[in-house]
Amino acid sequence: MKNLILTLFAIVFCGIASAQFGRQQQIEPLPEGFKPASTNTFLSSYPAVNAETREALFRVVAPTAQNVQVDIGGKKYDMAKDENGVWTGKCGPQVVGFYYYAILIDGVAVMDRNTESFFGSNWESSGIEIPEGPEGDYYRFNKNIPHGQIRSIHYWSDINGLERHINVYVPAEYEKNPTKKYPVLYLIHGWGEDENGWSVQGHMANIMDGLIEAGKAEPMIVVMPSGDIKTNSDVREASGNITDIYVKDLIPYIDKTFRTKTDRQNRAMAGLSRGGMQTTMTVFTNMDMFVWMGTFSGFFVRGNDGVENTFNGVFKDPVAFDEKINLLFISTGTEERSPKEQVEALKKHGIKNIVYHESHGTAHEWLTWRRALNDFVPLLFK
Amino acid sequence: MKNLILTLFAIVFCGIASAQFGRQQQIEPLPEGFKPASTNTFLSSYPAVNAETREALFRVVAPTAQNVQVDIGGKKYDMAKDENGVWTGKCGPQVVGFYYYAILIDGVAVMDRNTESFFGSNWESSGIEIPEGPEGDYYRFNKNIPHGQIRSIHYWSDINGLERHINVYVPAEYEKNPTKKYPVLYLIHGWGEDENGWSVQGHMANIMDGLIEAGKAEPMIVVMPSGDIKTNSDVREASGNITDIYVKDLIPYIDKTFRTKTDRQNRAMAGLSRGGMQTTMTVFTNMDMFVWMGTFSGFFVRGNDGVENTFNGVFKDPVAFDEKINLLFISTGTEERSPKEQVEALKKHGIKNIVYHESHGTAHEWLTWRRALNDFVPLLFK
């Protein structure tokens, strides 16, 4: 009887739904060495990745298309059609890490509907994780340790008259210590992404859980706001306003809503790419509020300005700077534009509280930033 | 100086990113009466909706496509190309509510990359909200009231040997009452959707915030798990296992992690569509654990079984049933298959603790379920 009801149910509703847009899902055999990518939607077999060869297989059902390609890592790969209109293509070997990619249907860049959607380059994108083996364990879910929570919160910003969405990581122990107060790291995404970047693409919760459980990092709250409030072409104004939002709306809201330590010794800010720029803008104009800072692939000192004048002269007196800022963490991937020369200039000028970090073999992408976070966080609040 | 750095920054990184996959974003003028849909990604002008006429405008950049249509509400609408390869199309008037939709590029159903992605029909989909005017205020963000939090949690399930993701709503007052315990509603999604359905497509946090602030509902915790663990074709087995996961993994995890009232008077379960079926399966086989239940567009009594025999005879003794279950809430949209006849049969048989609810003019979709939740929750834990 129960089975009959369920069968009827399945026929009625699944039938209606799948006839219109859906697909029937079934687990399919994959070529040897390939597994569904960790970025796939629930139970999707494709795209599939081979951890050893670092190749990826893609599949799209498109019987009416004339030409289908996959566009990943700056290269287009042709896909081939079988008699059922199913197109398959292979790419790689790829460098390990997270890639945005697109399927080209007759030249139009669309998403792969069997892959999680990520917000990147200011629109919805497909993404795929090319696995890197055991080295990546620090950002994967570890079933043997306690886990923090990512809290999704909407709050009203008076500064820009908008409902704003933030994600807030609290450590696993937060619930168990109802009177304990915690230091706070404000962690900012980059251009074209949003407040979900660090928790989704970056796996920051797994990284934090692991560091805290191992005793390498202080238990802390991590606040991930949206750093984009205007258009790209408007980046100057947007970034101008964003400091106001962080300082006048966001920090007071967090200190009111969570059990935070509110002195500057217990407040840090870091960001990747454009978020690194927002970090420098915010911290350097509010030195009474922050002691710790990090810029991941996002720190710029213009050579011809000289370290004395850049950022309105914040580095002019290196002793005064080191008294105010305990840590200026500057990181980069070795395959992207390096800030090494500027870091050397700052050190030569006498700045001591500077840590320079390189992610070997990675470019302007999430593996660089996961590694940076993993090395940055243990230095905070100590 | 600051502006120069930012400009350089914008040129370097935005340039690289947008050249590959991205788009330049700018706010564009829309035809009179049209506004960007609430479901659009950050700052996207299209799709645009007209709240008065309930029409929607779609736009896709696809210079190399031969034919582009929009597929929404069971109907395909042709789009027209301008000299820049930008296709525009209009649909409607639509009935108010939330719609999944697809763009057909030369016949292939793809997503609109300027719209939020939603998981529906077991793959990633675009969705659009056709606004319904002030009646919808109950599910919109209200800046004048306190807001609860949606907590995103990964936990390990021993039953099916998987990392599982859940969303948990806690009321605004939860943080301010560190010793208070709360009743719990387990709220399940339907076929082809996932644990994000209620919080994203359903706007449940706004609904709960409003009801609690108005004193209409008890402050409560709402747990939203994933109800899909196997393939569609495997729905019987999946649903069999899912009761074990709810009862043996999930409920103990929640009672361990949150400040919950753990007696059956303070535990409810409800679900939509297939989630309604999972609710009946779980509650009717664990009557010592639940007192309150709801099935939204998901309750089935087979006429020829009779109310005495259906669900293994749970209704056979109506007095005994009413002693165990305080509330059996059964709801439907008037434009979908109605369970009214079965509800009447149950009432005639002597079941008293039954509430029947209809959402006028809506079908098997989210507006039906938002309304159901809004009317169901005030009846709980009283």
Side-chain angles (χ1 to χ4, degrees):
Chain A
M1 173 56 217
K2 201 169 75 177
N3 286 353
L4 185 55
I5 293 177
L6 280 163
T7 306
L8 265 178
F9 170 80
I11 292 168
V12 174
F13 284 103
C14 305
I16 289 170
S18 63
Q20 200 176 342
F21 289 127
R23 68 190 171 97
Q24 287 304 320
Q25 227 172 352
Q26 52 187 93
I27 293 167
E28 291 161 277
L30 289 166
E32 205 183 317
F34 283 85
K35 290 205 302 186
S38 62
T39 30
N40 289 6
T41 53
F42 184 70
L43 290 176
S44 292
S45 306
Y46 290 88
V49 288
N50 186 318
E52 203 169 327
T53 64
R54 299 196 313 279
E55 292 168 307
L57 290 171
F58 296 86
R59 202 180 60 170
V60 182
V61 181
T64 52
Q66 296 302 306
N67 181 41
V68 180
Q69 296 175 298
V70 56
D71 186 347
I72 182 167
K75 208 169 151 186
K76 290 170 184 148
Y77 299 83
D78 287 331
M79 298 177 76
K81 182 163 79 164
D82 73 10
E83 68 276 13
N84 299 315
V86 178
W87 299 74
T88 313
K90 182 155 80 172
C91 82
Q94 304 292 131
V95 176
V96 296
F98 177 87
Y99 291 78
Y100 291 110
Y101 73 97
I103 303 291
L104 302 174
I105 304 282
D106 294 343
V108 182
V110 305
M111 293 164 70
D112 185 339
R113 299 181 65 177
N114 300 320
T115 288
E116 295 281 351
S117 303
F118 304 88
F119 193 70
S121 297
N122 280 328
W123 62 358
E124 293 289 296
S125 287
S126 295
I128 187 169
E129 185 82 34
I130 305 293
E132 59 165 336
E135 196 230 294
D137 282 349
Y138 70 96
Y139 61 74
R140 297 198 187 105
F141 182 82
N142 179 347
K143 70 170 180 160
N144 299 314
I145 65 172
H147 297 284
Q149 300 174 349
I150 303 277
R151 302 189 181 177
S152 166
I153 301 172
H154 293 258
Y155 77 102
W156 184 259
S157 162
D158 279 328
I159 299 285
N160 68 338
L162 277 181
E163 172 192 353
R164 290 182 70 82
H165 180 239
I166 51 174
N167 292 306
V168 179
Y169 168 88
V170 299
E173 63 157 60
Y174 188 83
E175 299 279 354
K176 297 199 175 94
N177 297 281
T179 58
K180 185 173 169 183
K181 295 187 171 190
Y182 292 85
V184 185
L185 164 62
Y186 291 83
L187 187 61
I188 321 291
H189 64 85
W191 175 87
E193 295 179 343
D194 66 15
E195 67 277 15
N196 301 316
W198 272 108
S199 55
V200 178
Q201 289 96 312
H203 299 300
M204 65 76 64
N206 291 340
I207 296 172
M208 297 300 303
D209 289 344
L211 290 171
I212 292 169
E213 173 65 14
K216 290 182 186 165
E218 292 294 310
M220 67 183 78
I221 294 167
V222 185
V223 177
M224 294 161 283
S226 166
D228 278 298
I229 58 161
K230 290 195 175 174
T231 66
N232 298 330
S233 55
D234 224 12
V235 61
R236 281 166 295 180
E237 282 70 19
S239 299
N241 289 348
I242 202 74
T243 288
D244 267 1
I245 289 171
Y246 293 159
V247 169
K248 295 181 186 163
D249 271 347
L250 179 64
I251 294 176
Y253 177 82
I254 294 298
D255 286 338
K256 194 177 67 187
T257 309
F258 291 88
R259 283 178 272 113
T260 58
K261 293 182 178 171
T262 58
D263 60 305
R264 59 192 288 275
Q265 286 290 338
N266 285 293
R267 192 179 293 122
M269 183 173 274
L272 71 89
S273 195
R274 179 178 161 192
M277 174 57 64
Q278 291 183 349
T279 298
T280 54
M281 290 178 60
T282 302
V283 175
F284 290 161
T285 53
N286 295 277
M287 301 278 270
D288 55 331
M289 299 184 73
F290 301 90
V291 165
W292 317 85
M293 63 186 290
T295 74
F296 312 153
S297 310
F299 188 79
F300 293 87
V301 179
R302 289 242 307 149
N304 59 357
D305 261 343
V307 293
E308 297 227 355
N309 298 321
T310 197
F311 290 108
N312 295 319
V314 73
F315 300 118
K316 191 175 285 244
D317 179 346
V319 176
F321 182 86
D322 281 341
E323 272 170 12
K324 282 188 178 147
I325 296 294
N326 284 5
L327 174 67
L328 169 55
F329 182 97
I330 301 177
S331 76
T332 190
T334 57
E335 309 308 302
E336 62 178 320
R337 197 180 105 156
S338 170
K340 196 168 187 173
E341 201 180 305
Q342 287 79 13
V343 170
E344 291 306 322
L346 287 170
K347 284 183 173 172
K348 202 173 159 197
H349 181 64
I351 306 285
K352 289 197 170 59
N353 293 342
I354 200 165
V355 170
Y356 178 63
H357 176 267
E358 278 183 351
S359 165
H360 187 72
T362 62
H364 201 69
E365 48 95 345
W366 276 102
L367 189 52
T368 303
W369 305 322
R370 289 177 201 159
R371 289 175 176 169
L373 185 71
N374 197 42
D375 287 339
F376 170 67
V377 165
L379 306 177
L380 298 178
F381 311 124
K382 284 184 172 165
Chain B
M1 171 56 215
K2 200 169 74 175
N3 286 353
L4 185 55
I5 293 177
L6 282 164
T7 306
L8 266 177
F9 170 80
I11 291 167
V12 173
F13 284 103
C14 305
I16 289 170
S18 64
Q20 198 174 343
F21 289 129
R23 69 191 170 96
Q24 287 304 322
Q25 227 172 354
Q26 53 188 92
I27 293 168
E28 292 160 277
L30 289 167
E32 204 182 318
F34 284 86
K35 290 204 303 186
S38 62
T39 31
N40 289 6
T41 53
F42 185 70
L43 290 176
S44 292
S45 306
Y46 290 88
V49 288
N50 186 319
E52 203 169 329
T53 64
R54 298 194 315 279
E55 292 169 307
L57 290 171
F58 297 86
R59 201 180 61 169
V60 183
V61 181
T64 53
Q66 295 303 305
N67 180 41
V68 180
Q69 295 176 299
V70 56
D71 186 346
I72 182 168
K75 208 169 152 185
K76 290 171 184 149
Y77 299 83
D78 289 330
M79 299 177 75
K81 183 163 78 164
D82 72 10
E83 68 275 14
N84 300 314
V86 178
W87 299 73
T88 313
K90 182 155 82 173
C91 83
Q94 303 294 129
V95 176
V96 295
F98 178 87
Y99 292 79
Y100 291 112
Y101 74 96
I103 302 291
L104 302 175
I105 303 282
D106 294 344
V108 182
V110 305
M111 294 164 69
D112 185 340
R113 299 180 66 176
N114 301 320
T115 288
E116 295 282 351
S117 302
F118 304 88
F119 192 69
S121 296
N122 281 328
W123 63 358
E124 293 288 296
S125 288
S126 296
I128 186 169
E129 184 82 34
I130 304 293
E132 60 165 335
E135 196 230 294
D137 282 349
Y138 70 96
Y139 60 74
R140 298 198 188 105
F141 182 82
N142 179 347
K143 69 170 181 161
N144 299 314
I145 65 172
H147 296 285
Q149 300 174 348
I150 303 278
R151 301 187 181 179
S152 165
I153 301 171
H154 293 259
Y155 77 102
W156 184 259
S157 162
D158 279 327
I159 300 284
N160 67 339
L162 277 180
E163 171 192 355
R164 290 182 70 82
H165 179 239
I166 51 174
N167 292 306
V168 179
Y169 168 89
V170 300
E173 63 158 60
Y174 188 82
E175 299 279 354
K176 298 199 175 93
N177 298 281
T179 57
K180 184 173 170 184
K181 296 188 171 189
Y182 292 85
V184 185
L185 164 62
Y186 291 84
L187 188 60
I188 322 291
H189 64 85
W191 175 87
E193 295 180 343
D194 67 14
E195 69 276 16
N196 301 317
W198 272 108
S199 55
V200 178
Q201 288 95 315
H203 299 300
M204 65 75 66
N206 292 340
I207 296 171
M208 296 301 302
D209 289 344
L211 290 172
I212 292 168
E213 173 65 13
K216 290 182 187 164
E218 292 293 309
M220 68 183 78
I221 294 167
V222 185
V223 178
M224 293 160 284
S226 166
D228 277 298
I229 60 161
K230 289 197 176 173
T231 66
N232 298 329
S233 54
D234 223 13
V235 61
R236 280 166 295 178
E237 281 70 21
S239 300
N241 289 348
I242 202 75
T243 288
D244 267 2
I245 289 170
Y246 293 159
V247 168
K248 294 180 185 162
D249 271 348
L250 179 64
I251 294 176
Y253 177 83
I254 294 297
D255 285 338
K256 194 176 67 190
T257 309
F258 291 87
R259 285 178 271 113
T260 59
K261 293 182 178 171
T262 58
D263 60 306
R264 59 192 290 274
Q265 287 290 338
N266 286 293
R267 193 180 293 123
M269 182 174 274
L272 71 90
S273 193
R274 180 178 162 192
M277 174 56 66
Q278 292 184 348
T279 297
T280 54
M281 291 177 58
T282 302
V283 174
F284 290 161
T285 53
N286 295 277
M287 301 277 270
D288 55 330
M289 298 185 73
F290 300 90
V291 166
W292 318 85
M293 64 186 290
T295 74
F296 311 154
S297 311
F299 188 79
F300 292 87
V301 179
R302 287 244 306 150
N304 60 357
D305 262 344
V307 292
E308 298 228 354
N309 298 321
T310 198
F311 290 109
N312 294 319
V314 73
F315 299 118
K316 192 174 284 238
D317 179 346
V319 176
F321 182 87
D322 281 340
E323 272 170 12
K324 282 186 177 150
I325 297 294
N326 284 5
L327 173 67
L328 169 55
F329 182 96
I330 301 176
S331 75
T332 191
T334 57
E335 309 307 303
E336 62 177 321
R337 198 180 106 156
S338 170
K340 195 167 187 175
E341 202 179 305
Q342 287 79 12
V343 170
E344 290 306 322
L346 287 171
K347 285 184 174 172
K348 203 172 157 196
H349 181 62
I351 307 286
K352 289 196 169 58
N353 292 342
I354 199 166
V355 170
Y356 178 63
H357 176 267
E358 279 182 351
S359 165
H360 187 71
T362 63
H364 201 69
E365 49 95 345
W366 276 101
L367 189 53
T368 302
W369 305 322
R370 289 176 200 158
R371 288 175 178 171
L373 185 71
N374 197 44
D375 286 340
F376 170 66
V377 165
L379 305 177
L380 298 177
F381 312 124
K382 284 183 172 165

